[in-house]
Amino acid sequence: MNDAVEDITDYVGDSADLFTEWQWQTGVFNDSVYAVPQASGPLGQFYRKDIFDSLGLAAPTTWEEYYEAAKVIRASDPNRYIAAFAFNQAPWLIGLSQQGGGEWFTPEDDAWKVAIDDENTLKVAEFWQKLIDEDLVKLEADMSSEWNADLQNGNIVSWISGSWADAIVRGTAPDTAGAWAAAPMPQWSDGENVSATWAGGSASVVLKGTDHPAEAAEFALWLNSDPESVSILTSVGAGWPAIKDLDSIEALQDDPEVFAFYGGQNIWDVFAESDAAVASTWTWPPLSQTLFADLTDNVKAAVEAGTPLTEAFTQTQADFTAALEDKGISVAE
């Protein structure tokens, strides 16, 4: 925390039951509460159902099915890909690892055990390397001008992203209304139900030294737990609500504009399931922005040089460990 935020345990510590457990825990350290969770970005697949249907494909339920679908989609049109490999998005890459069983950071006494290149992460990296090597995914930055055009013209036909990405799809490709659908994440083993998030989530904190910490904490709690407030936050794209009582959120129950764009589907059912299936053992470390920068730089360099993605994660392991130590943060052997 770099001693920048107040310990608000005395003001909100008895409110944990209002929130999804894993989201609440993101603001807890050493049994003290430092943040009230606001929202997260549980992952799912946004996909062009019309194109999938025309090719006899359903939304992939396993990563093996995803690979097979990628081949069919690539063969259907010389410009068409199942997805972009977003080398610019460390949160996306981390979410894929988390969903694949990666556990990068584990607190051990007063130190952090760092395992960015653990076995499960390398499995995920090798899978995407196969897609890259076989030209089954397009190497381009998501949310770039080129990617926007590809989303509009059907050259990119799916996007694995957080729940908030709904608004980006609708805003980027309005002329494709009715052609999209949402589906859960593909699984590594048939029958599993494991998900992850895009960069964890957002939260409200009280800055250190404020004159009114109790009042600020009370407001943060109201902002992120009152159903009317949460409904407004949800409707403007703040992310998936952190509170447990989803039935109280009007924006999740009836949203004609959103549902119409996705062919009448209530896509929030997908993300409710995804949020409940987030791998809750994941722990976020200090210096997260440094982690994002190191991983983005290393993956981009690997893509540009044509070197294995696995090496990018190994290099990030070394870089981030050094960054922690440079800040005086202990790293466990």
Side-chain angles (χ1 to χ4, degrees):
M1 303 291 180
N2 290 329
D3 202 33
V5 298
E6 290 280 356
D7 180 343
I8 55 175
T9 309
D10 289 344
Y11 314 123
V12 302
D14 60 354
S15 301
D17 288 346
L18 295 175
F19 298 91
T20 302
E21 182 180 3
W22 76 262
Q23 291 204 52
W24 177 262
Q25 288 300 323
T26 60
V28 177
F29 185 73
N30 284 343
D31 296 325
S32 294
V33 181
Y34 292 92
V36 177
Q38 181 174 102
S40 70
L43 294 176
Q45 301 180 76
F46 296 92
Y47 69 103
R48 281 287 299 270
K49 189 174 186 300
D50 60 333
I51 294 176
F52 273 65
D53 287 349
S54 71
L55 298 174
L57 298 172
T61 61
T62 66
W63 287 109
E64 181 59 30
E65 288 182 6
Y66 189 90
Y67 170 66
E68 295 299 329
K71 291 192 289 186
V72 173
I73 290 166
R74 190 74 185 97
S76 70
D77 186 296
N79 297 312
R80 184 179 286 166
Y81 295 84
I82 191 171
F85 180 75
F87 53 82
N88 62 313
Q89 293 289 0
W92 179 71
L93 295 162
I94 293 170
L96 294 174
S97 173
Q98 180 187 10
Q99 196 255 349
E103 294 188 23
W104 290 9
F105 307 105
T106 307
E108 290 190 356
D109 297 323
D110 293 327
W112 285 90
K113 181 179 180 181
V114 182
I116 295 171
D117 58 350
D118 67 7
E119 181 180 356
N120 285 323
T121 297
L122 298 186
K123 169 193 69 180
V124 173
E126 288 167 355
F127 174 82
W128 287 93
Q129 185 70 62
K130 179 170 68 170
L131 294 177
I132 292 170
D133 291 345
E134 297 183 22
D135 190 33
L136 299 179
V137 289
K138 189 169 186 179
L139 296 173
E140 72 178 1
D142 70 3
M143 292 182 269
S144 63
S145 296
E146 181 183 11
W147 180 86
N148 289 342
D150 283 337
L151 209 67
Q152 293 161 359
N153 60 30
N155 287 341
I156 295 295
V157 300
S158 74
W159 185 23
I160 292 175
S161 192
S163 58
W164 45 262
D166 140 64
I168 294 176
V169 175
R170 287 187 288 118
T172 300
D175 293 342
T176 61
W180 290 84
M185 286 280 285
Q187 299 296 308
W188 286 99
S189 297
D190 192 24
E192 284 187 339
N193 183 25
V194 179
S195 190
T197 70
W198 180 296
S202 56
S204 300
V205 301
V206 177
L207 295 180
K208 194 79 169 182
T210 181
D211 291 336
H212 302 284
E215 291 83 353
E218 181 180 352
F219 175 78
L221 181 62
W222 170 85
L223 179 71
N224 299 314
S225 65
D226 178 81
E228 185 175 358
S229 173
V230 173
S231 185
I232 293 171
L233 290 170
T234 302
S235 69
V236 299
W240 189 255
I243 62 172
K244 286 181 181 178
D245 187 9
L246 300 179
D247 290 340
S248 68
I249 304 172
E250 183 178 352
L252 296 182
Q253 312 311 319
D254 184 22
D255 196 329
E257 180 181 346
V258 173
F259 297 171
F261 186 88
Y262 294 96
Q265 179 188 10
N266 181 349
I267 65 168
W268 303 131
D269 290 341
V270 170
F271 292 100
E273 179 182 344
S274 176
D275 190 64
V278 167
S280 58
T281 55
W282 183 271
T283 301
W284 288 96
L287 307 183
S288 290
Q289 292 303 314
T290 300
L291 170 66
F292 291 171
D294 287 346
L295 183 58
T296 300
D297 289 347
N298 290 326
V299 170
K300 183 178 180 181
V303 167
E304 291 176 345
T307 54
L309 291 176
T310 52
E311 294 181 7
F313 287 91
T314 299
Q315 185 61 50
T316 303
Q317 166 79 13
D319 292 345
F320 189 65
T321 297
L324 290 173
E325 292 175 339
D326 285 347
K327 289 291 186 178
I329 299 170
S330 298
V331 178
E333 295 296 331

